[in-house]
Amino acid sequence: MTDKPKLTTTAGAPWPNNQDSVTAGERGPLLLQDYQLLEKLAHQNRERIPERTVHAKGWGAHGVLRITGDISRYTRAKALQPGAETPMLARFSTVAGEQGAADHERDVRGFALKFYTEEGNWDLVGNNTPVFFIRDGYKFPDFIHTQKRHPKTNMRSPTAMWDFWSLSPESLHQVTILMSDRGLPKSPMHMHGYGSHTYSLWNDAGERYWVKFHFKTQQGIETLSNAEAEEIIGRTREGYQEQLFNAIDQGDYPRWTMQIQVMPEKDAETCGFNPFDLTKVWPHGDFPLIDVGHFELNRNPENYFAEIETAAFSPSNVVPGISWSPDKMLQARIFSYADAHRYRLGTHYDQIPVNRPRCPVHHYHKDGEMNVYGGVKTGNPNAFYEPNSFNGPVEQRDAQEPPLRVSGDATRYDHRTGHDDYSQPRALYEKVMDQGARDRLHGNMGGALVGVPTEIVERWLGHLAQVHPDYVAGVRKVWQEKSRDAGYDPNGLPITGDTPHEAGDEQPHSPTIAAE
Ligand code: NDP
């Protein structure tokens, strides 16, 4: 009893009673001066911070990145030199669901990595898919609106999703992956991760190479059917948290092999497709995977809120030797992710311990929200502006990346014309998937389309027809069969004689767990 820590107020004073409020007489009422009661209730009201608009539900752990290959000819980044070991944090997530959503939903998974390098934090904020639904950040808020709740019904709206996708053929590749086996991983440990965007590496000679980052699970790919996932969700909504936490707790540390694909800077001009288009992969045959190393997750957070909920990942965090590319989605995310953290956590969110760089930090950003953990430091109190005569921090010109070479006029280029949105989904369907995988894709997609207005479904099927005749035939067949089972006629119209669903009407099932 005596060696237990002593309970105090948040100001450190001894606290005598944590059971009984101070009342006037045994039956009350309460006294306003019982400040610690007010403090407890006020804290309770403030225990939640704004959840992320997307990727709200997440699971994470600490680990280490080890470099075993040699890519020093491409990059000067110290964390990527042979033999380097860098502490890191990983956070995996679903995209659409809120914080209380079930883990085992059919959805893209976020795959966010923060490497605490000696040259500053490097964040790679990718997904478990190599591509994305859109290629221009202008459409980002619109797309996310379709994934969240309908403003009137406050329900998810399959109509909105399929309407947007069918009007955005660039989504075809990602939707095909989402509705395939890999759209429902068994756990965070059983999926690959991708930087997804094209980034760049640059070396001491000032040469830039375009690069794609890949993280291949060493646990093997394992996925679930919708029916298996529904059964798990019936038992637990925290299935991913349980699996990741327990594996690490038991010393069964998950690992991912790190690989890159490389394209010399000049080759982007002659590449047969736009290598900065987030809806496209770089075919392995043309751009072979190069081994870099691996990362291992080996330490659970002590406090989920402090180490995962307040973790702030942003593609804006790069270090010398690693940079961005002209990818329009990446360029938009450079702003929007850092800004999400300013809003959610406060202006100086990088001072929160889990986000704090492990190297010295000196800058002139002053005051503001969250300037708390030791404050902004310049090394000299008189040096709070720049330039100054008081030995304040000076810029590091040798960290300047080579120029980003651009061509063309500054205007709005139509991102929907002149692109081939069909060949890569076709390669996936034709070359990578066997018949079983195709049948499951048809089943998942056909089921998810039930109840969506027929004109929208037909527009979507029109895109599938341009990918492969078997694709459209397979999905159409399942959609018609399941529509009939659910009370719609073979064209997806309600057989009760009621009018078809209007855009915005809600469907009877979650779009993320479509019927098998
Ligand atoms: P490859 O045959 O060399 O590679 C196919 C890739 O597809 C493998 O990485 C494989 O993963 C992955 N894969 C298998 N099933 C699925 C699925 N259901 N959803 C997503 N990925 C899957 O082919 P190419 O490089 O020529 O690409 C062909 C198509 O493969 C692409 O159009 C794209 O759809 C897909 N793909 C390509 C990737 C790339 O970076 N080139 C990355 C991922 C997918 P695994 O390594 O576990 O076998």
Side-chain angles (χ1 to χ4, degrees):
M1 186 76 181
T2 45
D3 49 11
K4 286 187 180 173
K6 307 274 192 294
L7 184 66
T8 69
T9 67
T10 54
W15 188 241
N17 185 330
N18 196 33
Q19 319 304 322
D20 310 302
S21 44
V22 180
T23 54
E26 191 180 352
R27 296 188 173 183
L30 304 179
L31 294 193
L32 188 61
Q33 75 156 44
D34 189 357
Y35 181 72
Q36 294 310 323
L37 172 64
L38 306 184
E39 178 86 355
K40 283 183 83 166
L41 297 177
H43 266 274
Q44 185 179 25
N45 287 342
R46 288 161 178 78
E47 284 180 354
R48 302 278 84 79
I49 59 173
E51 67 174 35
R52 294 160 168 88
T53 303
V54 281
H55 297 277
K57 181 82 188 276
W59 326 276
H62 301 271
V64 60
L65 171 70
R66 301 188 182 100
I67 305 302
T68 50
D70 185 353
I71 57 167
S72 56
R73 56 186 281 234
Y74 303 120
T75 180
R76 59 174 270 187
K78 289 189 178 161
L80 295 180
Q81 299 309 308
E85 293 206 359
T86 304
M88 61 170 291
L89 176 76
R91 181 179 183 272
F92 312 108
S93 53
T94 44
V95 179
E98 294 86 359
Q99 263 185 347
D103 294 350
H104 278 96
E105 289 197 344
R106 179 172 297 280
D107 197 354
V108 172
R109 264 62 178 167
F111 199 100
L113 309 174
K114 183 183 287 296
F115 303 104
Y116 303 96
T117 90
E118 61 182 277
E119 301 174 292
N121 288 352
W122 171 38
D123 292 358
L124 206 48
V125 197
N127 282 325
N128 72 327
T129 58
V131 295
F132 197 59
F133 299 94
I134 49 175
R135 60 166 70 94
D136 193 316
Y138 231 72
K139 301 317 300 169
F140 204 9
D142 293 299
F143 166 62
I144 295 303
H145 287 170
T146 72
Q147 301 298 298
K148 306 296 281 193
R149 292 171 187 273
H150 186 282
K152 180 172 178 179
T153 66
N154 197 34
M155 291 188 269
R156 300 261 194 97
S157 172
T159 295
M161 294 179 200
W162 290 103
D163 191 35
F164 182 89
W165 286 336
S166 66
L167 292 166
S168 313
E170 71 270 25
S171 68
L172 196 48
H173 198 181
Q174 177 78 321
V175 176
T176 300
I177 294 173
L178 175 64
M179 294 291 158
S180 78
D181 291 338
R182 299 209 179 176
L184 222 170
K186 182 181 161 208
S187 88
M189 295 167 292
H190 296 95
M191 61 191 194
H192 297 329
Y194 302 90
S196 304
H197 297 287
T198 297
Y199 287 86
S200 54
L201 295 177
W202 54 277
N203 61 21
D204 274 327
E207 295 160 334
R208 187 189 294 275
Y209 297 86
W210 308 118
V211 64
K212 292 274 196 192
F213 293 100
H214 299 251
F215 299 90
K216 296 282 182 76
T217 171
Q218 293 188 9
Q219 292 65 243
I221 292 278
E222 287 188 43
T223 60
L224 298 174
S225 68
N226 290 337
E228 288 168 329
E230 282 176 10
E231 194 270 324
I232 292 172
I233 291 172
R235 281 189 281 117
T236 174
R237 299 172 70 77
E238 325 302 337
Y240 275 35
Q241 178 70 22
E242 290 165 10
Q243 291 181 76
L244 181 65
F245 186 91
N246 291 340
I248 294 173
D249 206 41
Q250 289 157 16
D252 194 5
Y253 302 142
R255 280 189 178 193
W256 284 260
T257 302
M258 179 176 176
Q259 296 174 314
I260 56 171
Q261 290 173 288
V262 175
M263 182 188 299
E265 186 177 22
K266 275 270 174 212
D267 292 9
E269 292 163 21
T270 50
C271 184
F273 59 94
N274 177 0
F276 310 117
D277 177 351
L278 184 56
T279 69
K280 303 262 188 323
V281 298
W282 294 1
H284 293 139
D286 300 333
F287 304 93
L289 292 164
I290 300 168
D291 285 329
V292 178
H294 67 262
F295 77 79
E296 173 184 281
L297 298 182
N298 51 26
R299 182 163 61 87
N300 276 318
E302 287 300 313
N303 181 300
Y304 179 88
F305 182 86
E307 294 165 58
I308 303 300
E309 183 56 15
T310 62
F313 300 88
S314 172
S316 52
N317 285 338
V318 291
V319 295
I322 304 172
S323 187
W324 310 292
S325 81
D327 178 337
K328 293 177 192 181
M329 274 301 294
L330 174 59
Q331 297 268 324
R333 292 177 78 221
I334 290 170
F335 164 74
S336 71
Y337 276 55
D339 193 55
H341 303 311
R342 288 185 202 105
Y343 161 68
R344 242 170 47 82
L345 305 170
T347 311
H348 291 276
Y349 62 85
D350 272 329
Q351 291 188 27
I352 297 172
V354 74
N355 300 323
R356 208 186 302 171
R358 305 292 196 261
C359 61
V361 176
H362 300 293
H363 59 75
Y364 292 91
H365 297 300
K366 209 172 156 299
D367 303 349
E369 269 181 296
M370 302 299 294
N371 181 19
V372 286
Y373 293 97
V376 171
K377 288 197 177 109
T378 61
N380 183 335
N382 292 324
F384 56 98
Y385 54 90
E386 205 278 336
N388 63 66
S389 311
F390 302 103
N391 294 323
V394 292
E395 61 209 13
Q396 305 181 60
R397 287 281 171 100
D398 63 346
Q400 179 63 51
E401 67 176 296
L404 186 67
R405 294 181 181 85
V406 293
S407 62
D409 301 325
T411 184
R412 298 181 192 277
Y413 292 90
D414 181 348
H415 75 266
R416 294 239 170 81
T417 52
H419 290 276
D420 173 3
D421 294 319
Y422 304 103
S423 293
Q424 291 205 352
R426 187 178 307 122
L428 178 61
Y429 187 88
E430 229 173 29
K431 188 176 94 170
V432 181
M433 291 186 185
D434 60 21
Q435 193 53 48
R438 289 180 199 170
D439 290 342
R440 292 187 292 277
L441 167 67
H442 303 159
N444 293 331
M445 192 179 287
L449 284 164
V450 173
V452 173
T454 303
E455 70 193 55
I456 293 176
V457 177
E458 288 296 347
R459 196 192 295 140
W460 179 254
L461 293 175
H463 294 305
L464 300 190
Q466 295 188 62
V467 177
H468 200 283
D470 293 352
Y471 194 2
V472 65
V475 173
R476 181 183 290 282
K477 183 164 177 287
V478 175
W479 168 60
Q480 290 180 334
E481 285 170 2
K482 288 189 183 295
S483 292
R484 250 193 310 268
D485 294 347
Y488 296 88
D489 80 6
N491 292 316
L493 300 173
I495 52 178
T496 56
D498 295 345
T499 51
H501 280 278
E502 297 291 331
D505 280 3
E506 302 319 314
Q507 314 309 318
H509 62 274
S510 159
T512 50
I513 299 290
E516 279 280 300

